[in-house]
Amino acid sequence: MFDLILLISLLLISFAILVALYRVYKGPSMPDRIIALDSIGINLIALIAVFSIYMRSTAYLEAILLLGILAFIGTIAFSKFIERGVAIERKHD
Amino acid sequence: MKVNDVILQTVTKIVVFIIFTFAFYLFFAGHHDTGGGFIGGLMAASALVLLYLSYDIDTISKAIPINYRTLIGVGVSVSTLTGIGSILLGYPFLSHTFEYVDFPFFGEIELATSVLFEFGVLFTVVGGTLTIILSISEDV
């Protein structure tokens, strides 16, 4: 019963990732795609968390924090690139 | 156009310490759990990349005056010296050992020489990653 609930939630999170993937594919503007990629990252965090409960293992918990950090830094780098044209500036104005 | 990213810089000041703590944890957990020198080095490098993203190269180079090319050399030297140290004691190259030591506050802790090897790996990964990223971002 508990495993069935976990499988259903895994399925629902996968569906959410699929919907966000449609936004990445279709998205008219660049910020739409970046926000969609960020929400895919967050859904992946939820997916790993539910999967680690399903596997009854704590070995995936570092991957959750790591994915959160990487999604954060990636989103900042992308947004800085579309705002300024460079990700890392030589000198701040 | 005058830009003002006070939110990004304030968040960075807090988050960088959390990422460095996570890198520290991953490095020392590597002996018995998930982690190790490689992923710990990548996390420390990503904290530094976050600093470079929210400030700029000149400010951070002044605040953290480290030449990342020398960091690669230091890391490789430390890793090699742990191998040579076992030769000097009459064992084969890169044979590691460990010892249980009683500390006054922490209790019994396992000290392994493979942590020193991993320390060299961490330095090399941080130096290599940041050398690549800063060389690519060099414009003009």
Side-chain angles (χ1 to χ4, degrees):
Chain A
M1 185 61 197
F2 186 59
D3 279 0
L4 189 69
I5 294 171
L6 288 177
L7 282 177
I8 288 171
S9 56
L10 279 178
L11 212 67
L12 289 176
I13 294 167
S14 315
F15 184 69
I17 291 177
L18 219 60
V19 171
L21 212 58
Y22 174 73
R23 181 47 72 196
V24 173
Y25 172 70
K26 197 80 177 176
S29 67
M30 219 49 181
D32 286 328
R33 295 196 169 95
I34 292 169
I35 295 286
L37 278 176
D38 196 39
S39 85
I40 285 177
I42 299 210
N43 278 315
L44 276 176
I45 293 172
L47 198 76
I48 294 172
V50 175
F51 189 70
S52 80
I53 299 172
Y54 184 67
M55 283 283 154
R56 276 144 182 93
S57 157
T58 56
Y60 303 107
L61 296 185
E62 278 88 1
I64 293 173
L65 201 48
L66 202 133
L67 206 53
I69 291 167
L70 289 186
F72 176 66
I73 292 175
T75 307
I76 284 177
F78 273 131
S79 354
K80 237 192 125 175
F81 180 72
I82 62 170
E83 198 191 67
R84 309 261 174 88
V86 284
I88 298 178
E89 290 163 299
R90 157 65 46 188
K91 199 168 179 57
H92 212 272
D93 37 333
Chain B
M1 195 184 79
K2 187 83 177 140
V3 289
N4 182 9
D5 32 35
V6 62
I7 297 178
L8 177 60
Q9 293 182 353
T10 312
V11 167
T12 298
K13 277 174 197 164
I14 300 166
V15 166
V16 157
F17 283 103
I18 299 173
I19 301 177
F20 268 128
T21 313
F22 183 53
F24 191 80
Y25 164 73
L26 276 179
F27 174 68
F28 282 107
H31 202 66
H32 293 295
D33 284 317
T34 320
F38 186 76
I39 190 66
L42 279 183
M43 275 293 103
S46 71
L48 289 169
V49 165
L50 181 60
L51 278 177
Y52 280 111
L53 277 173
S54 51
Y55 292 89
D56 51 302
I57 293 181
D58 283 353
T59 312
I60 301 300
S61 308
K62 210 174 290 172
I64 310 173
I66 298 173
N67 187 1
Y68 296 107
R69 289 166 195 83
T70 58
L71 214 59
I72 300 177
V74 169
V76 173
S77 307
V78 167
S79 288
T80 315
L81 282 175
T82 59
I84 291 173
S86 61
I87 289 182
L88 294 179
L89 294 174
Y91 292 100
F93 183 59
L94 277 177
S95 47
H96 289 284
T97 180
F98 61 95
E99 183 77 66
Y100 289 96
V101 181
D102 257 326
F103 282 97
F105 181 69
F106 298 101
E108 197 177 65
I109 289 179
E110 179 189 0
L111 292 181
T113 52
S114 46
V115 173
L116 290 175
F117 183 82
E118 288 286 298
F119 202 70
V121 174
L122 182 135
F123 267 30
T124 312
V125 168
V126 171
T129 311
L130 280 161
T131 304
I132 291 169
I133 288 174
L134 292 183
S135 316
I136 288 174
S137 72
E138 201 108 346
D139 46 3
V140 188

